[in-house]
Amino acid sequence: MQHPVSPKVGSSRFPRFRLFSPILAGATLRERLIACFGALLGIGLTGVISGYLFGQGPHLPLLVAPMGASAVLLFAVPASPLAQPWAIIGGNTISAMMGIIAAYFIGDPIIATGVGVSLAIGAMSFTRCLHPPGGAAALTAVLGGPVVAGWGFLFPFVPVALNSCILVGLGLLFHKLSRRNYPHVVPKPAENTHQTTDAPSAVRVGFREEDVDAALEALDETFDIDRADLGRLLQQVELQAAIRSNGKISCADIMSRDVIAIGETSEPDAARHLLLKHNIRTLPVKDPEGRLVGTLGLRELFAGGDTIAHAISKPAVARASDAALSLLPVLTDGRTHAVIVVDDDDRILGLISQTDLLSAVARLLPNDGDTIAAVA
């Protein structure tokens, strides 16, 4: 007898209440709280420092309104191309200059505002510093009234450039302390470590750079994401889809459990003997308590030394419960030949080689008669 299925919480019939629902991909409550704290410090200190240097004292902040919008980008979406240091400094300063020029030559403020913002977008585009608050900087230069008029052509530099430089400097310090990647640097694409003209094995199958370009051209829209970041995102989507489809296979299922390892005070000859005797390319190194300290191979042993301490390299590690396919990026980078599976105390539980992972992937392939015949 079948029991009636109760409606699931979070379904369209009974929507689940969410206190925080991010509107940006990857945004979390923690990230937004960090952004709030960063903006608090950034804007506050920028106003105090600017007022101290060129204003009427630190009690009277010398700030222009576009800095608030710049702070949103700098602290809330630091990976955006529009939030990078040159975008903030160059975008605000150049836009303010375009606004000053428009106001100087055009008497009608309505026309001057349109021309100022238009010139700002063009100038920022040509100088590769597109920054949305720059439009507000141009408007401020046109409609700022006697205060802006008093600064004249100095306005783009003081206070606009001054505010921008101080805000970026504080942002650099804040992001470094909070361990965020800023200025945002896109990791270099995979390289062929064998110094041949072939593309790295990890990118020989799947979409290519020209596919990303063709997709962007077909959509005919501008997206607030670096093109290289977009490629990295798509690669991660492919990997996560593969893990989801085959997530039942864990590292514990495919790892070798009888792991050949060596102590960190051993001699190089002993390490070479183990590598050659067992026909392995990666030898885990452990301390006297049995915890993993690194790995080594024959290449690392070429340098001289009385012990293997000089040859130990940082290990690639995983947990037994991790999805086996999550190791694909590591074991196809052209450098790593094995991943060491450890427990919470960094004690060695097993080892997964490229061969182990390849065997697991092969079992996931379709196994029909035509495939078998073709292989035979």
Side-chain angles (χ1 to χ4, degrees), residues 133-317:
L139 280 178
T140 303
V142 175
L143 303 176
V147 176
V148 173
W151 287 100
F153 280 91
L154 188 61
F155 176 74
F157 305 101
V158 179
V160 176
L162 174 67
N163 286 173
S164 300
C165 290
I166 294 175
L167 183 64
V168 167
L170 293 170
L172 290 169
L173 179 61
F174 178 82
H175 287 310
K176 183 175 182 179
L177 294 176
S178 59
R179 299 181 180 179
R180 299 168 104 192
N181 179 18
Y182 186 84
H184 182 65
V185 178
V186 181
K188 293 182 179 180
E191 298 179 354
N192 189 328
T193 58
H194 303 294
Q195 299 181 4
T196 62
T197 58
D198 292 317
S201 58
V203 298
R204 293 177 193 171
V205 178
F207 69 88
R208 301 178 180 178
E209 291 185 359
E210 53 264 34
D211 299 325
V212 176
D213 292 334
L216 291 172
E217 184 177 355
L219 291 174
D220 194 25
E221 292 186 52
T222 301
F223 298 91
D224 184 12
I225 183 173
D226 186 275
R227 179 187 170 283
D229 278 331
L230 181 58
R232 291 174 56 228
L233 176 62
L234 293 175
Q235 288 177 345
Q236 192 61 222
V237 169
E238 287 186 336
L239 174 62
Q240 294 302 323
I243 294 174
R244 174 180 53 79
S245 301
N246 305 281
K248 293 183 179 180
I249 303 178
S250 67
C251 291
D253 295 328
I254 68 171
M255 68 183 185
S256 301
R257 299 175 184 272
D258 184 14
V259 180
I260 307 300
I262 194 170
E264 61 182 336
T265 59
S266 301
E267 297 180 353
D269 286 341
R272 292 191 193 95
H273 174 73
L274 289 175
L275 287 165
L276 295 173
K277 176 183 178 181
H278 296 280
N279 192 26
I280 54 179
R281 303 185 67 176
T282 300
L283 185 63
V285 182
K286 55 186 179 180
D287 64 13
E289 285 74 35
R291 290 187 292 266
L292 178 69
V293 296
T295 58
L296 55 81
L298 289 175
R299 177 184 294 273
E300 290 81 8
L301 290 171
F302 279 146
D306 296 331
T307 67
I308 63 173
H310 69 280
I312 299 175
S313 58
K314 185 178 180 180
V317 298

Side-chain angles (χ1 to χ4, degrees), residues 190-191 193-194 282 300 330-338 354:
E191 298 179 354
T193 58
H194 303 294
T282 300
E300 290 81 8
V330 178
L331 291 177
T332 57
D333 64 3
R335 298 181 299 273
T336 307
H337 302 294
Q354 292 169 318

Side-chain angles (χ1 to χ4, degrees), residues 29-50:
L29 178 58
R30 176 181 176 276
E31 288 291 304
R32 292 293 82 94
L33 292 176
I34 291 177
C36 292
F37 185 62
L40 170 65
L41 294 178
I43 290 296
L45 290 176
T46 298
V48 170
I49 295 172
S50 299

Side-chain angles (χ1 to χ4, degrees), residues 354-366:
Q354 292 169 318
T355 303
D356 295 328
L357 185 60
L358 181 60
S359 299
V361 172
R363 295 179 63 87
L364 300 175
L365 297 176

